[in-house]
């Protein structure tokens, strides 16, 4: 089952999101990731597998003012780095995490591709930031 964590505030370190994801580990998952923003800088880290792999890719002492994190249980697309959340739009301005299933994502994806949107994953979630 998926888990979501988020933060909006003055300043937090990335280790806050990693610790929050660790509290959700009992739910089971196959990949994880987070997106953070501080001023105009956006950071994105993902990992296939356990949160400890995400920790090795992250700078845990980095600060941010806005962040989302996710543990994923694959429903659309195989467990992989590419299919891990968060997902973003073509301009990397909108980042999302999502629990659940978007039943009509194939039709939405086909529509968006005709409008020149580029997709990276096999997930249903990726259509959200493109919309």
């Amino acid at each position: 089952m998926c888990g979501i964590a988020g933060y909006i505030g003055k300043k937090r370190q990335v280790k806050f999101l990693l610790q929050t994801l660790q509290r959700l580990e009992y739910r089971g998952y196959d990949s994880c990731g987070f997106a953070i923003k501080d001023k105009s800088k956006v950071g994105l880290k993902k990992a296939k597998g356990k949160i400890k792999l995400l920790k090795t890719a992250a700078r845990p002492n980095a600060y941010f003012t806005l962040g989302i994190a996710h543990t994923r249980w694959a429903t659309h697309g195989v467990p992989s780095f590419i299919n891990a959340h968060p997902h973003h739009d073509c301009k990397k301005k909108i980042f999302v995490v999502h629990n659940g299933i978007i039943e009509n994502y194939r039709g939405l994806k086909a529509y968006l591709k005709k409008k020149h949107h580029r997709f990276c994953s096999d997930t249903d979630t990726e259509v959200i930031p493109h919309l």
Side-chain angles (χ1 to χ4, degrees):
M1 185 181 293
C2 303
I4 294 175
Y7 176 81
I8 299 172
K10 294 188 185 222
K11 286 278 184 186
R12 273 295 212 192
Q13 290 181 310
V14 168
K15 64 183 169 186
F16 167 79
L17 287 176
L18 296 170
Q19 289 168 345
T20 304
L21 287 181
Q22 282 183 304
R23 288 188 202 116
L24 299 171
E25 280 189 304
Y26 72 93
R27 298 165 62 104
Y29 63 97
D30 56 53
S31 59
C32 51
F34 66 83
I36 57 170
K37 183 178 184 204
D38 192 35
K39 297 181 183 169
S40 63
K41 295 179 183 177
V42 175
L44 175 68
K45 295 290 181 191
K46 299 180 181 190
K48 176 187 173 193
K50 299 295 179 190
I51 294 164
K52 66 182 176 183
L53 296 172
L54 186 61
K55 280 183 172 181
T56 62
R59 292 182 16 229
N61 295 325
Y63 284 95
F64 66 97
T65 55
L66 178 66
I68 56 174
H70 190 266
T71 55
R72 176 178 183 261
W73 190 261
T75 53
H76 294 96
V78 299
S80 70
F81 172 86
I82 294 295
N83 289 333
H85 295 210
H87 292 290
H88 53 76
D89 66 329
C90 294
K91 296 178 183 176
K92 295 185 181 177
K93 291 192 177 226
I94 300 169
F95 292 78
V96 300
V97 298
H98 163 252
N99 286 358
I101 296 173
I102 301 169
E103 301 268 340
N104 63 338
Y105 86 98
R106 285 187 180 98
L108 292 170
K109 197 170 189 177
Y111 167 80
L112 291 165
K113 282 183 176 182
K114 287 179 185 174
K115 296 201 170 280
H116 307 291
H117 287 264
R118 297 175 316 278
F119 291 86
C120 301
S121 77
D122 299 317
T123 70
D124 55 343
T125 300
E126 195 179 3
V127 301
I128 296 170
H130 289 274
L131 288 170

